[in-house]
Amino acid sequence: MDYDEVLARFDPVLGLEVHVELSTATKMFCGCANAFGAEPNTQVCPVCLGLPGALPVVNGKAVEAAIRIGLALNCQVAEWCRFARKNYFYPDMPKNFQTSQYDEPIVFDGHLDVVLDDGDTFRVEIERAHMEEDTGKSLHVGGATGRIHGAEHSLLDYNRAGVPLIEIVTKPIIGAGERAPEVARAYVTALRDLLRSLDVSDVRMDQGSLRCDANVSLMPKGSSEFGTRTETKNVNSLRSVERAVRYEMRRHAAVLASGGSIVQETRHFDESTASTSAGRPKETSEDYRYFPEPDLVPIAPSREWVEELSGTLPELPWERRKRVQEEWKLSDEELRDLVNAGALELVTETVDAGAPPAEARSWWVAYLTQQANTRGVELPELAITPKQVARVIELIAEGKLTNKLARQVVDGVLDGQGEPDEVVAAKGLEVVSDDSALQSAIDEALTAQPDVADKIRGGKVQAAGAIVGAVMKATKGQADAKRVRELVLAACGQ
Ligand code: ADP
Ligand code: MG
Ligand code: ZN
C-alpha cells in the first residue's frame, strides 16, 4: 500500500530491541578472550562450551558497563537483580539455555531524546536494559544464500558464545506517525553514538556488535488498542532499520485493509530487495521456561558504587552538541549538518588534536563523507584517524600542502599507505616552497613566452596569470600559486 494511504488509515507502534556486544577483555561468565575475528573455536573453555560441572562467574566489568549504559539512558538501577535461564535448543548455544535476565533487569525505566533530520527532538522511553550472553555462530555451507535452507552442512564457531551482551528494549513508541521509520533510524543512531561515547562497545552494525530487532504494529486511526506486532530480526545497518520499518508498515496495512490479520512472528530483512520475509512464529515468554539462574549469585549494586559510576560518565552526545555549538559558534543548521553526517565525534577529536574547528568540520563533512560514500563504509570506519586529519590540516596551514595535494595525501592514508607525512614523502607531494626551485621554472616559462614576459615588464600585471599557469603545470600543481605570482612579478621588475 502507498505510504500516504497507510498513514491516512493507521497509526504505527514501534518497539526497538538493540543488542550490544560489550568490548570487555573477557567473556560474560568465563575468562575466555572476547575478540572479533579469531580462528573458529580458539576462544572457548568448559564454561562457555557448557561442559558438565563447569560453573560461571560474572564479569564485573560487564556489570559496570550495564550500569553506566543505564545511567546514560536516565534509567533506575536495580537494588537487587538476578540472572535467569532462558531455555531453548539451538546448535549455536551449547548449554541449551541462554543466561539472561528476565523480570529483574539491572536497569529500567529511562529515556533517550533523539534528534530527527530536521533538528526536532523525539523522546523514546526505555523499558529496560538487561545483561545476557551471546550465542555462537553457525556457518551454513554449500547453499546459494548462506542460509540453512539448501545448505549441505553447517559449521559451528563457539568463539562468540558467552560474549557479554546488553539488550536495550524500548517501551512501545507511539505518536511518531509518518516519521516512525525515521524515528527508528534516529534512535539506533543516537544509541550507537551514546554507546560509543561510553566506550563500552565497538558498535559496529556490520560486524554484529550492534544489532537491532524492529517490532512494528498498526492501530486503525482513532483506536488506542495495539495491533499484532511482527519482529524483524538483526537489521544490520541504520538505513535498513528505516527501510525495514517502512516496509513492514506498508505490508501490515495491506494485509489489514484487505481483511486479513497479522501473524505474530519474526521476519528477516533482505538488504538487496529491501523487503522482509516470514521467519518463525513468535514464542511467548512461557515457552522459554525462564527460571532464576541457580549457579550465579544475585547482583546488588551498592548505591555508593552506582554514584561512583555516575561520576565516570563522559560528556554525552547531547551535552557535546550543546557545547560545540556554543564554542564553535555554529548555526542550528551547521550543527544539524554535522550531526546528520555522523561527524560530531570525529570533528571534536580532530579539534582536540589541534585543528581549527572550521577546517576540521569541512574535511569530515565534505571530502571524507564523499570518500566514505564511494568506499561504501560509514564515516567512522574510514581508515583515517582524527589525529591524521589534524596533521593534514596542519601541513596545509604550514604551507607544505595545497588543498589539492592534501586530498591526495588523505587518499594515500585511506589506501593504507601510512601516516600523512609518510605519504607526502613517498609520493613527493610536498609543495615546492623552495624559491630557487620555483625560480628556474619561472625563468623557463618567461623564456618560452617572451611576448607575455614583455607585457608584464611593461606593467600589464594581469598577464602574469599565463606564466603562473605554466609554472603550476611544470611543478604538477605542487607550487603555491600565490608565491609563484609574487616571484613572477618580481622577476619582471613589478
Ligand atoms: P520479545 O521477547 O518478544 O522480543 P520484548 O519485550 O523483548 O519482547 O520486546 C518487544 C518490543 O516490542 C518492546 O520494545 C515493546 O515495547 C514492543 N512492543 C510490544 N508490543 C508491541 C506492539 N503491539 N507493537 C509494536 N511494538 C510492541
Ligand atoms: Mg526480546
Ligand atoms: Zn570460556
Side-chain angles (χ1 to χ4, degrees), residues 27 30-32 43-49 161:
K27 291 187 181 181
C30 62
C32 289
Q43 294 168 348
V44 291
C45 75
V47 173
C48 55
L49 287 178

Side-chain angles (χ1 to χ4, degrees), residues 373-445:
N373 288 340
T374 21
R375 289 164 194 250
V377 296
E378 306 232 5
L379 204 53
E381 275 122 48
L382 274 179
I384 191 163
T385 62
K387 228 172 129 201
Q388 290 169 327
V389 174
R391 176 61 184 150
V392 171
I393 294 170
E394 192 182 8
L395 288 169
I396 301 172
E398 287 171 354
K400 296 204 174 113
L401 290 177
T402 60
N403 280 319
K404 185 164 159 240
L405 291 171
R407 284 195 287 274
Q408 292 177 41
V409 173
V410 166
D411 291 345
V413 176
L414 291 174
D415 293 336
Q417 293 164 9
E419 291 296 317
D421 289 282
E422 291 167 350
V423 178
V424 170
K427 289 191 172 176
L429 288 176
E430 195 161 343
V431 167
V432 181
S433 55
D434 173 3
D435 283 356
S436 62
L438 290 176
Q439 204 60 60
S440 58
I442 291 169
D443 290 344
E444 265 173 49

Side-chain angles (χ1 to χ4, degrees), residues 73-390:
L73 288 169
N74 308 288
C75 288
Q76 312 275 330
V77 179
E79 303 260 355
W80 190 92
C81 67
R82 278 184 296 196
F83 285 95
R85 290 190 182 184
K86 182 181 184 182
N87 298 282
Y88 64 97
F89 168 77
Y90 202 75
D92 64 15
M93 200 178 58
K95 297 187 298 186
N96 270 358
F97 60 84
Q98 180 188 31
T99 308
S100 180
Q101 294 194 287
Y102 180 46
D103 48 359
E104 300 163 321
I106 178 120
V107 298
F108 52 92
D109 280 350
H111 63 260
L112 179 61
D113 288 328
V114 308
V115 182
L116 303 179
D117 292 345
D118 66 358
D120 279 359
T121 301
F122 188 97
R123 174 160 294 190
V124 174
E125 306 282 346
I126 306 292
E127 169 84 37
R128 65 174 194 273
H130 67 253
M131 299 179 285
E132 58 185 33
E133 57 180 338
D134 214 342
T135 58
K137 263 188 206 163
S138 312
L139 184 68
H140 304 296
V141 185
T145 57
R147 301 261 291 273
I148 196 164
H149 308 282
E152 279 164 13
H153 59 273
S154 298
L155 297 171
L156 286 160
D157 175 7
Y158 291 115
N159 283 351
R160 201 180 66 178
V163 162
L165 279 186
I166 304 293
E167 179 176 345
I168 302 160
V169 183
T170 68
K171 293 187 177 163
I173 302 169
I174 43 183
E178 62 173 328
R179 305 185 78 169
E182 185 193 342
V183 166
R185 170 174 48 78
Y187 168 74
V188 181
T189 309
L191 192 54
R192 181 196 64 177
D193 293 347
L194 177 65
L195 294 165
R196 186 181 286 135
S197 75
L198 292 171
D199 200 17
V200 291
S201 167
D202 299 339
V203 288
R204 293 277 302 258
M205 290 191 94
D206 58 326
Q207 291 185 355
S209 53
L210 184 76
R211 313 196 280 269
C212 175
D213 302 339
N215 293 269
V216 175
S217 69
L218 295 181
M219 306 186 282
K221 276 257 175 240
S223 161
S224 57
E225 201 178 309
F226 291 175
T228 303
R229 67 182 158 112
T230 52
E231 180 180 347
T232 304
K233 302 292 274 183
N234 293 341
V235 192
N236 63 9
S237 74
L238 294 169
R239 186 163 159 257
S240 296
V241 172
E242 179 163 4
R243 295 202 298 172
V245 168
R246 180 183 282 262
Y247 180 86
E248 278 296 291
M249 283 172 64
R250 295 179 59 188
R251 190 184 68 83
H252 281 216
V255 171
L256 295 172
S258 65
S261 52
I262 295 296
V263 186
Q264 180 159 344
E265 62 187 358
T266 66
R267 304 202 45 105
H268 296 287
F269 182 69
D270 183 336
E271 297 273 340
S272 55
T273 57
S275 64
T276 66
S277 57
R280 57 183 160 81
K282 187 67 190 175
E283 298 81 5
T284 61
S285 56
E286 290 85 60
D287 294 330
Y288 289 119
R289 317 311 303 173
Y290 279 100
F291 64 85
E293 168 60 61
D295 286 344
L296 289 165
V297 291
I299 294 178
S302 74
R303 296 303 98 176
E304 293 75 45
W305 190 36
V306 172
E307 191 56 37
E308 190 188 316
L309 290 177
S310 149
T312 69
L313 295 188
E315 178 179 49
L316 299 175
W318 50 91
E319 296 164 345
R320 173 167 294 185
R321 280 199 291 272
K322 195 159 169 282
R323 177 176 64 83
V324 302
Q325 179 166 27
E326 279 166 18
E327 280 183 16
W328 305 348
K329 303 190 172 46
L330 303 182
S331 66
D332 288 349
E333 197 184 340
E334 285 167 330
L335 179 69
R336 198 169 72 213
D337 287 347
L338 191 59
V339 172
N340 288 351
L344 183 64
E345 292 268 310
L346 295 161
V347 173
T348 313
E349 284 168 33
T350 309
V351 172
D352 289 346
E359 274 84 352
R361 212 152 48 82
S362 151
W363 274 95
W364 285 107
V365 175
Y367 190 67
L368 288 165
T369 294
Q370 182 196 323
Q371 287 299 310
N373 288 340
T374 21
R375 289 164 194 250
V377 296
E378 306 232 5
L379 204 53
E381 275 122 48
L382 274 179
I384 191 163
T385 62
K387 228 172 129 201
Q388 290 169 327
V389 174

